[in-house]
Amino acid sequence: MRSLNPTTRLKAIEIANQLLTQGELDKQHLIAFSIEEARRWARCERVDQTQWVTGARQYI
């Protein structure tokens, strides 16, 4: 998780903690899955922000 940016790392930790409480995955798979989901979340966040900024420019 050290290679992730701070925001994505926090999201990965949040996802991992939620999965830990459910107890469905072993720790190795849990960490890999949480990193993958956090990266997916970060990509969606960037797209949403880009669309908002692009939309704002159209109205100016």
Side-chain angles (χ1 to χ4, degrees):
M1 286 194 190
R2 290 181 184 159
S3 65
L4 301 173
N5 70 43
T7 307
T8 307
R9 185 181 311 123
L10 287 174
K11 189 65 173 181
I13 291 169
E14 179 185 325
I15 293 168
N17 286 334
Q18 289 175 355
L19 292 173
L20 266 175
T21 60
Q22 294 174 1
E24 295 180 17
L25 299 171
D26 62 276
K27 287 186 180 182
Q28 186 175 10
H29 288 103
L30 182 136
I31 292 169
F33 181 77
S34 64
I35 290 172
E36 180 182 327
E37 288 299 308
R39 285 181 174 155
R40 186 174 295 131
W41 171 84
R43 282 192 299 269
C44 289
E45 284 293 308
R46 274 186 255 133
V47 168
D48 289 344
Q49 289 174 359
T50 303
Q51 289 175 353
W52 184 83
V53 171
T54 303
R57 287 184 195 163
Q58 293 173 356
Y59 295 113
I60 296 176

